[in-house]
Amino acid sequence: MSEQAPGREVHRRQKLEALRARGVDPFGTRYPVTHWAGPLAARLGGAGEDELKGFGPVCVAGRIVSMRHHGKTCFAHLQDYTGRIQLYARADQLGDDFAHFTDIDLGDFVGVTGDMLRTRTGELTIAVKSFTFLGKSLRPLPEKWHGLKDVETRYRRRYVDLIVNPASRAVFLLRSRLIKAIREFLDARGFLEVETPMMQPIPGGAAARPFVTHHNALDVDLYLRIAPELYLKRLVVAGYDRVYELNRTFRNEGMSTQHNPEFTMLEFYQAYADVGDLMELTETLLLHLAQTLLGRTRMTYQEHELDLTPPWRRLPFFAGLAQALGAEVGPETPARRLRELGAARGVELAAAAERWEAWPELFESLVEPTLVQPTFVVDFPVELSPLSKRKRDDPRLVDRFELFVAQGEIANAYTELNDPIEQRER
């Protein structure tokens, strides 16, 4: 926030008292909104003058985020949860209320009634006929031209970020549409959405450190779930052949822009299918989301230009390692040889590192940074996949994939090991 905020806050409090002195409630009441900024702009974006004149009065409400004074006229932008729209106020229309309108601070909430017009620059605008004060903002917003740039502040005070950064608002709205589209996609294919326990007696389904809480009535420690996996599998055992959960998961580990201690995860299970079916479903799902929400299969993410056009690349785990290390490697390659190859590529492994400890470290260091376009990494060694079924043609490997996009893993799936005897042996 601005360093001048304390002094500006005093000035805003003085305005608040002036509102009360005029008999205006500074914190508003009900306002009969008839239109929202985004849909209004979409509906009338290409409208001509006659259509705008015949459209009739509109009532909008939101936060004032910009204001420009021009003597006896004033332009402002009102922002609601759908977008922004320009306001045009005139002294000869508002009379004494014009001075009150121009006294509005950035961040204040108002309700506005007016008619639609288009300015000489072509911007869709509401000509203000009357307005109602709905809420006084006692703290100033970040400056218009500098905005909220500090990453730490943006993450800790997300509500401020959403007010002043349109890009953050767009992501927030897109995420909501994304969640809805995922549900619709799975529901249409016969999957049943379920909710499983958030507090669990045994934290299972992933290798992660859990948050611990205490159940006073039972006098036992419980754990916030690190994955819904075990309970979803029980539902499959119970006869629900296609289930999914889209909900919160908690892991008491690192925290950064890439790792959150609580996050939303989709997990689904499908009986009578294998890893090939899951790859096809995952590819179809993400392609559907891109086409539905963005209208295209090409997009920019951070510094990467991505193309989701199928089919996506299939990369065997050891083939990726061999390519990165410049030598043939496989499940039987000795740990010493892996350490030598890693050192030649700048990856120093612990002297006592076993093969199954070297594999993921080498892969994460050398292969993952090259996986920009959608890539299914397949044929993992059995040592890294204790819950996956072995491949029929090579029992050293399992039917599992990890999906990488833009150098990051976004999905993990496998044909479930359903042999309880082998599971116990592993």
Side-chain angles (χ1 to χ4, degrees), residues 6 13 63 72 97 121 134 155 159 174 186 206 228 232 262 271 331 341 352 370 374:
R13 286 184 177 272
R63 186 190 295 270
K72 295 185 178 182
D97 281 341
T121 61
L134 298 178
Y155 277 84
Y159 57 96
L174 180 61
L186 293 172
L232 289 173
E262 62 170 302
L341 292 172
T370 70

Side-chain angles (χ1 to χ4, degrees), residues 7-200:
R8 292 165 66 183
E9 186 173 336
V10 171
H11 184 59
R12 286 172 178 248
R13 286 184 177 272
Q14 293 171 347
K15 288 188 176 183
L16 179 146
E17 295 305 323
L19 286 168
R20 285 181 169 149
R22 290 196 291 113
V24 176
D25 183 353
F27 299 105
T29 183
R30 179 182 182 274
Y31 189 80
V33 175
T34 62
H35 296 81
W36 301 103
L40 192 61
R43 181 174 179 182
L44 299 176
E49 183 177 350
D50 291 340
E51 184 178 353
L52 293 176
K53 287 182 177 179
F55 191 75
V58 299
C59 298
V60 298
R63 186 190 295 270
I64 298 299
V65 293
S66 74
M67 184 170 285
R68 307 185 310 279
H69 301 280
H70 299 283
K72 295 185 178 182
T73 63
C74 177
F75 287 93
H77 278 96
L78 179 146
Q79 177 176 289
D80 61 30
Y81 80 104
T82 66
R84 297 183 180 187
I85 194 162
Q86 182 167 261
L87 309 178
Y88 174 53
R90 294 166 42 189
D92 59 356
Q93 173 69 52
L94 294 179
D96 293 341
D97 281 341
F98 180 75
H100 299 147
F101 185 88
T102 58
D103 204 35
I104 292 172
D105 285 318
L106 299 187
D108 289 351
F109 288 88
V110 297
V112 170
T113 298
D115 295 320
M116 302 305 302
L117 60 83
R118 198 177 301 280
T119 63
R120 284 180 295 179
T121 61
E123 185 170 355
L124 189 67
T125 302
I126 299 175
V128 181
K129 299 176 68 174
S130 65
F131 74 97
T132 301
F133 200 91
L134 298 178
K136 183 64 188 172
S137 175
L138 296 181
R139 293 190 175 185
L141 299 177
E143 295 179 9
K144 175 181 177 182
W145 301 115
H146 296 91
L148 188 63
K149 303 296 185 184
D150 182 71
V151 174
E152 179 84 6
T153 303
R154 289 180 62 190
Y155 277 84
R156 289 185 178 275
R157 308 180 71 177
R158 180 63 85 185
Y159 57 96
V160 181
D161 182 34
L162 292 171
I163 292 171
V164 301
N165 287 330
S168 296
R169 293 173 61 84
V171 170
F172 197 85
L173 294 172
L174 180 61
R175 182 188 185 279
S176 180
R177 295 173 56 212
L178 176 71
I179 296 296
K180 179 181 178 182
I182 290 173
R183 286 192 165 103
E184 291 175 343
F185 178 91
L186 293 172
D187 291 346
R189 285 157 178 78
F191 284 83
L192 176 68
E193 182 176 11
V194 297
E195 290 186 348
T196 60
M198 291 285 186
M199 294 190 298
Q200 302 179 354

